[in-house]
Amino acid sequence: MSRWLVAGAGGMLGRDLVEVLGGTPGLTVTGLPRAGLDVTDAAAAEAAVAGHDVVVNAAAWTDVDGAESAEAAATRVNGDGARHLAAACARHGAVLLQVSTDYVFAGDAAHPYPEDAPTAPLNAYGRSKLAGELAVAELLPERGFVVRTAWLYGAHGRNFVTTMLGLARQRETLDVVDDQVGQPTWSRALAVRLAGLGEAALDGRAPAGVYHATAAGQVSWCGLARAAFALSGLDPDRVRPTTSRQFPRPAPRPSYSVLGHAGWARAGMAPMGDWHAELAAALPVLPAATATPPA
């Protein structure tokens, strides 16, 4: 019987993780939301990790724009928090799955980023997450797993897909950027993948290092919105393409957030499924899936 700890269990991914792990035979799960575990507190991290075999760090500062004016605060969560958990895992002999992001890359590539591609974050959020990656690599070279993901959506938190379907009730048309490309990833599918990776790590089948856990394929934000509309029975032509210049944000966004998945072969695992198929499977459980056209 393996014992798992999920830090950040109150978030979109964290809630899916607790549900997936809780239904997996042969393991027990402790889910701690922010109120139950402040990862910026080293002593709290130490106490929480004790007695667990696998720790999944889904706790994060996720306000990308807010990080631009509060980088130190974001780094305390995303960088120091990961360091505290990694140090505790090193002392207690636990495996750590550190959830990271495509934002550690510059986003100017023409081909999918391999796991060992040079990092060059564009913004404060990316730098804070990279600090967490480096801490895990330093402190847990044999039991640390950095799992980069991107463009998450799911049933338990605010995200692009549910926002678009919610706006469908309010507006006849939506202008959505078409010059940023990535891989929409269902948080529950990611939770299943993390569960499998943790089990493979405990069995000695998965070597430590970096893994890219995003759905296969690629699409723009506009294309994703159109697909969500079409799969929900709405007219996709209500979504109109525009450019990032029309929606300036405090934090610059990478224009190309497509990750390569060759690393899964090291663990004897296939990459995750196609983004469109995942979206179709996810829509029935998303809170805005019943969106209807405005009168």
Side-chain angles (χ1 to χ4, degrees), residues 46 49 54-55 84-96 140 143:
E46 177 77 22
V49 168
V54 181
V55 177
H84 295 157
L85 289 172
C89 286
R91 284 189 287 270
H92 293 282
V95 167
L96 176 61
L140 281 176
R143 291 192 302 277

Side-chain angles (χ1 to χ4, degrees), residues 225-254:
R226 285 176 176 265
F229 270 48
L231 289 168
S232 300
L234 305 175
D235 181 2
D237 288 337
R238 292 171 58 194
V239 181
R240 306 180 305 192
T242 189
T243 66
S244 300
R245 291 183 179 181
Q246 301 304 311
F247 293 93
R249 306 293 293 271
R253 263 56 171 186

Side-chain angles (χ1 to χ4, degrees), residues 28 63 80 111 114 134 150 176 203 214 259 275 291:
T28 60
D63 181 358
D80 297 345
H111 304 284
L134 295 174
V176 181
D203 293 344
T214 50
L259 305 182
W275 72 266

